[in-house]
Amino acid sequence: MALALILGGVFFFLAGTVGLLRFPDVYTRLHALTKADCLGLGLLALGLAVEAESLAAALRLLLTWGLVLVASATSAHLVARGAAARGLAPWGRP
């Protein structure tokens, strides 16, 4: 169970990295990075929580995931807002 969750997390981290490298503009890159990495970190935290030695350690992992979710959403919002303020238009088909 834990190994499957951890491997799922690694898969989503890799998918987010591919999206960061392949997508055409800052908005789509942010979307790929924040969605995939938050889910990847959640699966990693759950996988590690399953194997944790105590309930306190498992709760710390889940708290870390929650804090990263908040920080990721906030930073992605700030980056997108900065890009919009500089006049960067979203990518569209030519």
Side-chain angles (χ1 to χ4, degrees):
M1 174 85 170
L3 182 62
L5 289 170
I6 290 170
L7 288 177
V10 169
F11 170 76
F12 279 103
F13 269 118
L14 288 175
T17 302
V18 169
L20 178 68
L21 295 174
R22 298 284 299 168
F23 283 168
D25 69 347
V26 68
Y27 304 106
T28 54
R29 289 178 184 158
L30 279 174
H31 176 76
L33 196 60
T34 55
K35 302 294 184 218
D37 283 354
C38 286
L39 183 58
L41 180 61
L43 290 175
L44 278 175
L46 285 175
L48 292 174
V50 168
E51 293 294 320
E53 294 178 2
S54 66
L55 180 62
L59 290 177
R60 274 187 291 220
L61 286 167
L62 297 178
L63 176 65
T64 302
W65 178 41
L67 292 174
V68 169
L69 283 176
V70 172
S72 176
T74 303
S75 62
H77 177 78
L78 291 174
V79 169
R81 189 173 177 175
R86 291 187 177 153
L88 294 176
W91 177 79
R93 292 186 187 262

